Amino acid sequence: MQDSPDLGDRGGAVCVVGAGASGLTAIKNLRELGFAVDCYERETSVGGAWNWRHDRSPVYAGTHLISSRPLTEFPDFPMPDTWPDYPHHSQVLEYLERYAKHFGLGEHIWYGMEVKSIVPVGDGRWDVTIQSTGGGSSRVQRYAAVVIANGHNWAPVTPEIPGDFTGQVIHAAAYKEPSRLRGRRVLVIGGGNTGCDIAVEAAQHATRVWHSTRRGYWYFPKYLGNRPADQVYHRRMSAWLRDRRFRKSAADLTRWGVPAPDHAPLESHPIVNGLLPHYLGHGRIEAVPDVTRYDGASVELSDGRRIEPELVITATGYRPRFDFLAPELLDIDEDGRPDLHLHAFARKYPTLAVVGLVQPSAGLFPLAHWQSVAVARWLRLRDTDPEKAGVVQKEESQRPLASWSRRKVVPTPRHWFEVDHVDYLKAVESLLTRMETAK
Amino acid sequence: MSALLRFEDWSDPVPAADREVVSQLPDDDQGRPPLLFVPGLGHGAWAFAEHWIGHAASRGFPAHAVNPRPGGDLRAQAHDVVQTAAALPRQTVLIGHGTGSRVVARALGRYPARAAVLIAPVLDGWAALSAALRSNPAGTVPALFGGRLKFSGRQLFGPDLPAEEAAAHLERIGARPRAELFARDGLPEPVGGPPMLVVGSPDDRVVPRPALDRAAARYGGAPLLFPGMGHYLMLETKWAEPIDAILDWLEKELPPAG
């Protein structure tokens, strides 16, 4: 008599964690290479960060893309060409929902299921423990590979500011719509894209707006003439010419008290906001330096000034979190920073990868697409031609970091995963080519 | 593999344009992939609407035909096809005819079609041109100098099609050829590795048999042939034979899930 098959063993199937943009493209590209896929999504619908009904979504009512359509869409599934250059977040969600439906991804997604742990079982395979989001019993499934696509913009980083504040303090993650700002004195802390966007929204609704930034960034407009600025930057041109274009088109905000950048244009994540200079110039936003402490109703600034906002919004970013696995699997250091080849492949576990953990200078979706294509091809190559896979792995492990990661960036957690859109795609392209041609 | 670095699409995206789409849906949705027919030079979606679209719908396939923007170059036409395909609810089967096959071949470098069918494909413009010069020199030569390409019934249709029907179709067919539709440059590898079928007739006076064989070989197969038919298989008296064969092939290649 034959043994009954182990229901928990999914054989050659791949487990994908999360059904946001990165998870969806991972499912699609793995399926395209013939893999069975189980995707676990803690929410009851797709879209991840872009689905603002989700607990962990950082988007607010006024969120629009900051990279234009052609640089944001999945390369094999364009957004409608009748959409605006910079679609609204609700359109991005609609796009992801259509992508999932178009490619029939829904039937591979288990909604309302959270991954609790991922443990290697020694032969390249993984035991994944899943539990319904609301609790209840858990089960363990065994997979040939795991692709983590849990996003990195949902666990807020809150600044440690000494003292007590009697006003209200929220993180940008909790900011949803401008009625919260109406008629109030607002301090926005953080010079990233979110901080600048919220400062601009506050300028339109609040009675007074302070915008506190620690360092100067390069502030780029959304349009150069009538063209989306990123489309002008992404012409085929040499690096020095691109650098020159960046420098020429960036806004100099120093006359309004914003610090000058202390780094080259692409050494920090680009800030894209054409309205910030507008509202600074109209006196609706007042640039202020770093916050040093809270003191009752006051906030003390590093230049000694005191201001009295009613609401403080800390737009101080997010950190990646991988609570479901042992840190050493992704070579996570004590600061919480994973060390992955191409920010995607676990260095010691060839069947473990992370998709979407990059901060590109243009849209994320194309990079997540090509990362997942590379992961799928890599897993397939391990199956079909282990010898060739070994050669590719050896060559790839010798690829210098500087060839795919920006050589020099401002050394903050904000820039852990910063990559240049073009350089990064070149690196992935070379990996894909090597997988095709390696002897 | 599609190109990762797409500077042209990033920095100079094809602008939006109106696209006429003719559609016929089956009475009940059986979950089959939609078909998107792409006409080539000289005809429009109407050529598929005559017989094929309705027939495909009656066999359970949502069927659509798109007229890419008039005057658009190959890149713009491929863009129109990809945009139309991506707007359909399910992963789409692309079916091109004549130079429309060249548009489909280009679109396949961008969009992972569920499957693709190239009918009487003009992938090698030089072969089509020399065939046209042989079978219809008086109608072809003026087009070489920017004039109108004048087709003849004998050139486009098989002997079975009644003369008055052929004449009525010819009234509607005709265009100035655009150079790049006849170019010989390389076409991209189809993304996603879709099943591919090349269909034609050994008696086609526009696409000679060796060109059909080469097109099929390029996509890893042999052509499915319908002797006795002309270039416009969808307008012939026996129009049902090729479309039924195509739908049979799709049913075999794309069995329903589950």
Side-chain angles (χ1 to χ4, degrees):
Chain A
M1 197 167 98
Q2 216 170 0
D3 285 346
S4 61
D6 179 358
L7 293 177
D9 190 335
R10 293 284 286 121
V14 180
C15 172
V16 173
V17 183
S22 300
L24 291 175
T25 195
I27 306 169
K28 179 202 157 271
N29 289 312
L30 286 160
R31 295 278 311 147
E32 209 164 88
L33 278 201
F35 288 100
V37 177
D38 291 340
C39 171
Y40 298 105
E41 166 55 53
R42 65 189 297 281
E43 300 281 355
T44 53
S45 50
V46 301
W50 290 100
N51 193 327
W52 82 328
R53 290 183 287 276
H54 290 177
D55 284 352
R56 293 174 170 180
S57 167
V59 305
Y60 42 88
T63 305
H64 282 255
L65 289 178
I66 56 168
S67 54
S68 71
R69 260 192 301 113
L71 285 139
T72 308
E73 65 202 10
F74 292 121
D76 58 354
F77 191 74
M79 292 186 188
D81 58 6
T82 50
W83 277 11
D85 294 324
Y86 295 99
H88 184 246
H89 71 79
S90 58
Q91 289 174 305
V92 179
L93 174 60
E94 182 191 330
Y95 171 72
L96 295 175
E97 288 170 343
R98 281 188 35 231
Y99 178 84
K101 189 159 179 258
H102 192 85
F103 293 110
L105 308 181
E107 60 189 279
H108 310 288
I109 304 171
W110 298 78
Y111 294 104
M113 298 297 280
E114 201 164 358
V115 169
K116 303 305 280 186
S117 85
I118 297 173
V119 179
V121 289
D123 56 352
R125 310 189 72 211
W126 300 87
D127 273 352
V128 178
T129 307
I130 311 119
Q131 189 176 33
S132 34
T133 308
S137 61
S138 60
R139 68 170 194 267
V140 179
Q141 303 266 93
R142 184 160 292 184
Y143 290 96
V146 172
V147 175
I148 299 168
N150 65 335
H152 58 280
N153 285 323
W154 54 267
V157 175
T158 312
E160 285 178 17
I161 299 170
D164 294 316
F165 183 57
T166 53
Q168 193 182 11
V169 182
I170 61 168
H171 189 275
Y175 171 74
K176 289 295 164 197
E177 42 113 30
S179 64
R180 189 141 201 177
L181 308 165
R182 206 157 288 147
R184 304 176 83 182
R185 296 188 304 277
V186 177
L187 165 65
V188 181
I189 300 176
N193 280 296
T194 304
C196 293
D197 274 359
I198 295 176
V200 162
E201 287 213 348
Q204 298 165 53
H205 298 278
T207 52
R208 188 156 184 197
V209 184
W210 296 276
H211 188 200
S212 163
T213 53
R214 186 174 297 179
R215 69 158 41 86
Y217 288 100
W218 291 87
Y219 298 92
F220 300 107
K222 274 196 157 172
Y223 282 91
L224 286 175
N226 63 357
R227 305 290 307 157
D230 58 359
Q231 295 180 13
V232 178
Y233 303 141
H234 281 84
R235 295 206 170 113
R236 204 183 287 276
M237 64 177 114
S238 60
W240 72 267
L241 188 58
R242 185 170 288 134
D243 187 79
R244 188 159 169 262
R245 284 225 167 144
F246 274 127
R247 286 175 188 274
K248 281 190 81 161
S249 55
D252 177 2
L253 307 184
T254 52
R255 59 180 283 248
W256 293 297
V258 178
D262 55 2
H263 52 274
L266 283 182
E267 287 174 11
S268 66
H269 193 70
I271 309 299
V272 184
N273 192 318
L275 291 174
L276 190 66
H278 177 93
Y279 285 107
L280 283 163
H282 285 64
R284 293 291 300 135
I285 298 175
E286 188 181 334
V288 295
D290 205 14
V291 169
T292 48
R293 58 179 289 113
Y294 292 135
D295 183 10
S298 305
V299 172
E300 200 175 283
L301 306 171
S302 61
D303 61 359
R305 267 191 293 165
R306 291 164 81 89
I307 56 175
E308 293 196 350
E310 295 158 277
L311 171 66
V312 175
I313 302 178
T314 56
T316 40
Y318 302 85
R319 288 279 167 82
R321 275 180 65 174
F322 305 95
D323 300 341
F324 42 73
L325 46 66
E328 59 270 22
L329 299 179
L330 298 178
D331 285 315
I332 296 176
D333 67 15
E334 60 275 17
D335 294 327
R337 177 185 192 168
D339 176 23
L340 305 164
H341 181 59
L342 294 175
H343 289 319
F345 293 91
R347 294 187 184 276
K348 299 187 196 83
Y349 296 87
T351 52
L352 179 64
V354 181
V355 168
L357 187 60
V358 276
Q359 289 279 3
S361 52
L364 172 65
F365 298 178
L367 273 58
H369 167 87
W370 288 114
Q371 283 181 325
S372 59
V373 168
V375 169
R377 295 244 178 103
W378 162 247
L379 293 175
R380 186 49 81 216
L381 187 66
R382 284 186 82 248
D383 276 352
T384 56
D385 193 343
E387 200 179 323
K388 185 161 150 183
V391 173
V392 171
Q393 189 172 23
K394 191 170 171 213
E395 287 175 357
E396 199 64 18
S397 64
Q398 288 159 4
R399 184 201 288 272
L401 187 72
S403 69
W404 58 269
S405 181
R406 179 141 326 120
R407 275 152 238 247
K408 192 181 158 205
V409 287
V410 175
T412 64
R414 172 76 184 81
H415 298 104
W416 277 353
F417 311 109
E418 193 71 18
V419 293
D420 177 81
H421 184 85
V422 173
D423 289 346
Y424 188 81
L425 286 179
K426 279 183 185 167
V428 177
E429 185 172 39
S430 112
L431 167 60
L432 289 170
T433 308
R434 202 170 293 166
M435 284 197 272
E436 274 173 13
T437 57
K439 292 276 182 291
Chain B
M1 187 172 78
S2 155
L4 277 72
L5 301 175
R6 295 174 33 240
F7 288 107
E8 193 182 19
D9 290 333
W10 294 337
S11 64
D12 185 22
V14 177
D18 286 337
R19 293 177 281 266
E20 187 195 353
V21 180
V22 179
S23 303
Q24 199 160 337
L25 305 180
D27 292 336
D28 60 325
D29 183 1
Q30 298 160 25
R32 292 193 188 283
L35 314 181
L36 180 59
F37 293 95
V38 180
L41 183 72
H43 64 286
W46 62 266
F48 299 107
E50 287 280 308
H51 308 294
W52 278 16
I53 285 186
H55 188 70
S58 75
R59 283 192 54 179
F61 288 88
H64 312 265
V66 58
N67 277 333
R69 69 189 68 198
D73 61 10
L74 183 58
R75 177 174 174 240
Q77 295 206 3
H79 166 89
D80 287 340
V81 170
V82 172
Q83 280 280 323
T84 309
L88 294 172
R90 281 195 280 269
Q91 205 172 358
T92 302
V93 177
L94 298 184
I95 306 176
H97 176 269
T99 52
S101 290
R102 190 168 174 79
V103 177
V104 164
R106 171 93 182 230
L108 290 172
R110 181 84 200 274
Y111 171 76
R114 190 73 184 83
V117 184
L118 308 182
I119 302 164
V122 179
L123 299 185
D124 178 350
W126 289 102
L129 185 63
S130 65
L133 282 168
R134 274 199 305 279
S135 63
N136 178 20
T140 308
V141 169
L144 296 178
F145 301 97
R148 190 179 168 84
L149 186 64
K150 279 190 77 175
F151 297 111
S152 71
R154 204 173 143 269
Q155 183 187 8
L156 298 188
F157 302 106
D160 289 349
L161 191 72
E164 62 275 18
E165 267 188 58
H169 293 322
L170 273 179
E171 277 289 302
R172 304 180 78 176
I173 294 173
R176 285 172 202 278
R178 296 181 61 89
E180 74 260 1
L181 293 178
F182 287 94
R184 237 179 173 172
D185 55 317
L187 289 165
E189 281 302 307
V191 294
M196 301 273 301
L197 178 67
V198 171
V199 176
S201 163
D203 303 313
D204 186 337
R205 288 164 184 265
V206 176
V207 182
R209 173 69 197 270
L212 278 177
D213 289 337
R214 280 198 301 274
R218 186 190 181 306
Y219 294 105
L224 185 62
L225 296 173
F226 295 87
M229 299 184 96
H231 182 60
Y232 277 85
L233 287 85
M234 63 280 211
L235 296 175
E236 293 279 356
T237 312
K238 292 178 180 167
W239 57 264
E241 287 181 21
I243 187 66
D244 273 329
I246 290 168
L247 298 177
D248 290 345
W249 175 78
L250 284 172
E251 282 173 352
K252 188 169 131 287
E253 287 292 325
L254 313 173

